[in-house]
Amino acid sequence: MPIASTSSYTKVQYLQRQAASLLLYQSVLQGEVGMAFLELLQAIRYTDADARGCLQAYGSYFHALAAKNQNWEDYLITQILFSDNPFTKLAQVQEFEDLPPAIVAAVRHDLQVLQSLYECSSASLSEWIQGVAHMPISPVVWYKEQELVGGETFATYLQELDNWGDAVEELAAYYRQCGSGLFAEYRALRWQAGQFIGIRYSDPIKLSALVGYESQKDALLKNTEFLLSGEMALHVLLYGSRGSGKSSLVKSLLNEYSNRSLRLLEVAKSDLKDLPKIVEHLRGVSQKFIIFVDDLSFEEDDDAFKALKVVLEGNLTARPQNVVVYATSNRRHLIREFFVDRPTPKDNEEIHAWDTMQEKLSFSDRFGLTLTFEPADQKTYLKIVQHLAKQAEINITQEDLEFQALQWATRHNGRSGRTARQFVDFLKADLRLFGTKNNAPSN
């Protein structure tokens, strides 16, 4: 049974001093795993350390790694790649030669520190715990096959480097290409309570699953290519009947282009008042952003209306080329109009009331591109059903499929892409579980 040596305690205390000396990458150790690591070092730093406290600290460290499903080494590199600090932000917008020398020196120092922490493996910690607690065997070591989220090429380069301090320029190039922080970690995000929230499990809908509305799809894809190529893309309004696939089409862009640094940012109508602030946050970031606003409509004197108008029309601040707004709506005129709103010649009425009303009603024209989605006719509906059924590998006759699909549309929500998807999902489960070809049931 190994006995904890004086050199072990000296090593632990050295690692604590190293961790405390981080200048820019403190966030690497501020997550649950990082805090558990630091608390474990604190527990075993003295020769008279409490064995029970050390074992509990090791248990917390093991639990944190298991919850993340990462090794300590993988976790540390992942945190470096996703870190959001002054260096990562400057590296995205400035050439390496133009970065302040003090920033570069600080990063070199921090990388050397993080390398020393990286080399403190879970196996070593387990052995130290065995010595401190006078255990016959060392505690179980958390381990799994290496699996980094993003940045695999750079991570491999870093792991093979003798001195991480030599990687500053390469790290700057990585941030310039891939970004940092939440925008590097997540493909889809939402703006909520004044901050960006990462969406870990985004909608998996693929472009290949969407049939019909080919001209609208082509126009949206072309505009998105403009955005990804650094050209000035247009803001887009997708208008049309419910269930026609407007939202699905926008979401599918993420799965089509996320490997080209596209990010989808969902903003609820209630948060549109923050839109100018959101756009400024995204300015200068290396990724390209589609701000997605679903089911858009306004009431009169809505603050959201004014905020969106500023973003669509612009102001003295230049519009960033990496941000575009894609909005869906079931209303062609986005602001509700009542007959009572129509101007009549009365005393104390606004003189140019018709101009004011027309400004409100023509708000949709402020989008550079409007794509219209008409209700699906029977031919289009059946085409969508056939396409989805083929993808789902549903093996029934075309005649039987069409008959059941039309019955489903009659009994449910009418003919639309959404109805087709619901029908195929139901039919697939029905055939798999019961092997029945009976007509789709009514409500």
Side-chain angles (χ1 to χ4, degrees):
M1 179 181 71
I3 303 296
S5 65
T6 302
S7 62
S8 297
Y9 298 116
T10 302
K11 175 68 172 177
V12 170
Q13 292 168 12
Y14 168 76
L15 290 173
Q16 285 187 300
R17 291 193 299 271
Q18 287 285 86
S21 73
L22 289 171
L23 300 171
L24 294 173
Y25 281 85
Q26 296 96 332
S27 63
V28 170
L29 298 177
Q30 288 174 354
E32 184 180 355
V33 173
M35 294 299 294
F37 174 79
L38 294 178
E39 288 170 4
L40 179 56
L41 293 183
Q42 180 65 20
I44 62 178
R45 68 172 299 188
Y46 298 114
T47 54
D48 59 347
D50 174 63
R52 182 182 177 190
C54 291
L55 288 169
Q56 289 177 334
Y58 183 81
S60 297
Y61 170 72
F62 185 98
H63 183 278
L65 286 174
K68 272 288 185 181
N69 199 26
Q70 281 187 305
N71 297 328
W72 165 246
E73 295 84 352
D74 297 341
Y75 173 81
L76 203 64
I77 291 181
T78 299
Q79 293 303 108
I80 293 171
L81 297 180
F82 293 157
S83 179
D84 204 8
N85 62 57
F87 170 67
T88 66
K89 292 177 180 177
L90 283 175
Q92 294 179 61
V93 296
Q94 292 186 10
E95 296 296 333
F96 181 76
E97 296 76 15
D98 299 328
L99 294 174
I103 288 278
V104 174
V107 175
R108 183 172 291 112
H109 164 269
D110 281 6
L111 288 177
Q112 291 170 337
V113 167
L114 292 168
Q115 184 177 14
S116 67
L117 300 181
Y118 174 91
E119 292 169 351
C120 179
S121 66
S122 295
S124 298
L125 290 171
S126 175
E127 290 181 3
W128 289 348
I129 290 295
Q130 181 184 3
V132 169
H134 305 289
M135 299 173 65
I137 59 173
S138 60
V140 175
V141 177
W142 169 263
Y143 177 77
K144 65 165 301 207
E145 292 297 324
Q146 290 192 334
E147 183 180 331
L148 288 166
V149 181
E152 289 86 352
T153 302
F154 182 81
T156 301
Y157 160 77
L158 204 58
Q159 290 165 338
E160 296 174 351
L161 199 63
D162 291 333
N163 180 5
W164 285 13
D166 297 333
V168 181
E169 187 170 357
E170 287 77 8
L171 188 57
Y174 173 83
Y175 291 134
R176 188 172 184 83
Q177 178 183 355
C178 303
S180 64
L182 284 173
F183 302 140
E185 186 172 1
Y186 296 98
R187 305 184 312 156
L189 306 98
R190 67 169 54 91
W191 178 263
Q192 185 175 316
Q195 61 181 338
F196 296 105
I197 305 294
I199 300 174
R200 189 166 300 278
Y201 304 106
S202 57
D203 193 324
I205 184 71
K206 294 186 179 297
L207 199 61
S208 59
L210 304 176
V211 181
Y213 307 103
E214 299 303 327
S215 62
Q216 294 90 330
K217 185 190 303 183
D218 291 344
L220 192 65
L221 289 175
K222 181 179 291 187
N223 193 66
T224 305
E225 287 283 354
F226 292 159
L227 173 70
L228 297 174
S229 302
E231 302 294 336
M232 188 62 78
L234 301 175
H235 300 300
V236 182
L237 173 65
L238 295 86
Y239 151 75
S241 59
R242 58 189 178 89
S244 56
K246 304 182 296 296
S247 300
S248 294
L249 180 55
V250 176
K251 293 173 185 176
S252 71
L253 297 174
L254 184 62
N255 300 307
E256 187 77 11
Y257 294 116
S258 63
N259 61 340
R260 292 175 60 183
S261 296
L262 180 67
R263 299 293 181 265
L264 191 62
L265 173 62
E266 184 179 46
V267 179
K269 176 183 170 296
S270 58
D271 291 320
L272 282 178
K273 61 184 183 301
D274 296 334
L275 206 51
K277 183 197 306 184
I278 294 170
V279 170
E280 286 308 307
H281 274 302
L282 303 180
R283 184 185 299 275
V285 176
S286 62
Q287 288 89 355
K288 313 296 183 182
F289 292 88
I290 294 174
I291 296 178
F292 176 44
V293 187
D294 202 16
D295 197 19
L296 182 63
S297 65
F298 299 109
E299 303 293 338
E300 190 173 356
D301 298 325
D302 197 326
D303 289 340
F305 166 79
K306 300 169 185 175
L308 182 56
K309 182 180 176 184
V310 167
V311 171
L312 296 180
E313 294 188 335
N315 51 21
L316 288 177
T317 305
R319 171 191 162 188
Q321 287 191 228
N322 67 324
V323 180
V324 72
V325 176
Y326 286 2
T328 70
S329 179
N330 298 332
R331 300 174 56 88
R332 178 64 178 85
H333 294 301
L334 298 177
I335 303 175
R336 295 177 64 193
E337 178 197 7
F338 300 94
F339 281 108
V340 70
D341 295 330
R342 299 196 173 191
T344 54
K346 295 180 181 178
D347 294 337
N348 302 321
E349 285 285 351
E350 182 183 353
I351 296 175
H352 300 294
W354 274 108
D355 290 345
T356 300
M357 190 188 76
Q358 288 304 313
E359 178 188 20
K360 293 175 180 178
L361 295 181
S362 64
F363 182 71
S364 58
D365 297 338
R366 290 173 169 82
F367 288 88
L369 181 62
T370 298
L371 303 178
T372 303
F373 292 71
E374 299 291 345
D377 57 22
Q378 180 169 304
K379 180 179 179 181
T380 301
Y381 170 68
L382 291 177
K383 181 180 178 182
I384 296 171
V385 167
Q386 291 163 3
H387 180 78
L388 295 177
K390 182 178 180 180
Q391 288 190 327
E393 298 181 348
I394 292 176
N395 187 23
I396 62 175
T397 66
Q398 181 173 333
E399 181 181 4
D400 196 11
L401 177 68
E402 292 182 357
F403 176 75
Q404 292 192 47
L406 292 174
Q407 279 199 323
W408 182 276
T410 300
R411 294 166 177 170
H412 292 80
N413 302 312
R415 296 188 299 262
S416 70
R418 180 184 300 157
T419 301
R421 165 61 66 185
Q422 292 166 347
F423 164 69
V424 171
D425 286 345
F426 178 90
L427 184 60
K428 180 179 179 181
D430 189 34
L431 290 171
R432 179 173 295 174
L433 292 179
F434 304 109
T436 178
K437 298 182 181 180
N438 293 333
N439 296 340
S442 60
N443 290 332

